[in-house]
Amino acid sequence: MKDKAGKTQGQAKQKMHEGQQQAQQRGQQAQQRGEQAAQRGEQAAHRGEQAAQRGQQTTQERGRQMTERGRQNIDDTEREMRDRFDQDYDA
């Protein structure tokens, strides 16, 4: 009887130890998943920052292009006015 009780107690301790190990492994896996999720979040934030920078650069470039076109239009208009003036008074 004592042997059977001792054996049962030993098996119970073994199962308890296995349960603790499994719980510890699950905790470690959950921690790893949390760390991976945090890394993915940081990567997504970085990609967002890069996209914002590209958008800002594109906007600045468009502004420069529009300014240059405006200057060209003014120059063209002034040239046309001079040509018309010259034509009107050459006749």
Side-chain angles (χ1 to χ4, degrees):
M1 203 58 149
K2 246 184 177 183
D3 290 340
K4 189 174 182 182
K7 188 176 180 181
T8 304
Q9 188 179 13
Q11 288 174 343
K13 285 182 180 180
Q14 177 71 22
K15 289 221 182 238
M16 188 174 73
H17 182 67
E18 289 172 4
Q20 287 173 340
Q21 286 179 333
Q22 288 174 351
Q24 185 178 12
Q25 287 174 348
R26 284 193 298 270
Q28 288 172 348
Q29 289 171 345
Q31 182 180 0
Q32 288 172 349
R33 284 193 298 271
E35 290 171 357
Q36 289 170 348
Q39 287 174 348
R40 285 193 299 271
E42 289 174 9
Q43 290 169 348
H46 186 66
R47 285 192 300 270
E49 290 172 2
Q50 289 176 332
Q53 288 173 351
R54 283 193 301 271
Q56 187 177 13
Q57 290 170 348
T58 301
T59 302
Q60 290 172 347
E61 182 61 29
R62 279 193 204 130
R64 281 193 288 274
Q65 289 172 350
M66 294 301 286
T67 301
E68 184 59 32
R69 280 191 206 135
R71 284 190 195 118
Q72 288 175 350
N73 287 342
I74 290 171
D75 290 344
D76 291 345
T77 303
E78 288 177 350
R79 195 173 309 114
E80 287 176 20
M81 289 173 60
R82 278 195 305 269
D83 290 346
R84 285 184 186 168
F85 181 84
D86 290 345
Q87 286 175 357
D88 288 347
Y89 287 97
D90 281 348

